[in-house]
Amino acid sequence: MIGIIAAMDVEMNSLRSYMENTETEVISGIRFVRGSLEGKDVVTAVCGIGKVFAALCAQTMILHYQPQCIINTGVAGTLTDALTIGSIAVSSAVVQHDMDTSALGDPVGLISGINKVELPADRLLSGQLSACAKVMGVKTATGVIASGDQFVASQERKAFIVEHFKAIACEMEGAAIGQVCHVNKVPFCVLRAISDSADGSSHMDYPTFVKMAAEQSVNLLRRFMRC
Ligand code: SAH
């Protein structure tokens, strides 16, 4: 069974409309919908915004459904000219850009205990997702995806994340899901369609494009399930 987590309804509702033979269970306030998508067994969840909800959801999904892997899907801000609105970012690794114990001499973003900054995504999953995007003719890039508990909307913060992590996209859940998967030895990947510029240059980007971008990720996931 493949686990699929999105943060918001707008990123999940249409995907769920393609599922068959669904069964629903609510655990810890999260609705898990299990069923078949393009003939594959999946369990889906909308975790809510931010790293805490994302971690809670991933751990619960792993304990209750034992998915063979987890894909975090949705939208993100771009950190590179290579990804414009509607393009797809696929994670090679995830980082937490707001994890910072550098005052104690640690590298910015170090996850103490695991003692790593970057947590690698599953190479096979990343490769398959990016291959699907290419087949669909969607512009895509694979690289580090950065998560933090803030909506990135300034040149300064964007530059900070690029400088420290060389990340290609920013969002608020992927690295929390990645950390939970890493600890539980469950392969994971983050797949995000670009909804905004992450620099505040056009405040209208996100509300205008979130739905279209979310749909782009859904189309890619459906295609992936058929492979
Ligand atoms: N109160 C709003 C919050 C949305 S936050 C709501 O409940 O709808 C934005 C979401 O989109 C997060 O889940 C995040 O992962 C993603 N996202 C898109 N662009 C982003 C950006 N520039 N910075 C951080 N997260 C972004």
Side-chain angles (χ1 to χ4, degrees), residues 7-8 49 75-77 150-152 170-173 192 195-196 198 206:
M8 303 182 286
I49 305 294
V75 302
Q150 60 180 257
F151 188 89
V152 178
C170 59
E171 39 81 311
M172 301 176 67
E173 298 83 19
R192 300 271 181 158
S195 57
D196 58 273
Y206 178 82

Side-chain angles (χ1 to χ4, degrees), residues 63-201:
L63 289 177
H64 282 263
Y65 297 96
Q66 289 92 40
Q68 71 198 56
C69 63
I70 292 183
I71 298 172
N72 173 219
T73 182
V75 302
T78 183
L79 301 176
T80 164
D81 293 341
L83 292 173
T84 48
I85 286 174
S87 311
I88 296 273
V90 176
S91 64
S92 57
V94 292
V95 298
Q96 294 172 34
H97 67 78
D98 59 351
M99 176 64 92
D100 189 354
T101 53
S102 62
L104 304 173
D106 293 335
V108 174
L110 182 82
I111 303 165
S112 297
I114 295 174
N115 287 329
K116 285 183 179 176
V117 174
E118 287 187 10
L119 298 180
D122 186 68
R123 286 176 68 131
L124 191 64
L125 267 181
S126 300
Q128 286 170 338
L129 286 166
S130 101
C132 279
K134 283 177 192 145
V135 167
M136 286 168 65
V138 179
K139 210 201 288 183
T140 183
T142 300
V144 174
I145 296 187
S147 310
D149 283 331
Q150 60 180 257
F151 188 89
V152 178
S154 75
Q155 280 290 358
E156 294 71 32
R157 191 66 196 172
K158 189 170 169 171
F160 172 91
I161 299 170
V162 172
E163 182 196 335
H164 285 280
F165 306 105
K166 298 188 172 43
I168 61 167
C170 59
E171 39 81 311
M172 301 176 67
E173 298 83 19
I177 292 166
Q179 184 172 341
V180 169
C181 286
H182 181 86
V183 168
N184 287 280
K185 300 188 170 54
V186 173
F188 76 93
C189 189
V190 180
L191 146 73
R192 300 271 181 158
I194 299 301
S195 57
D196 58 273
S197 62
D199 58 10
S201 63

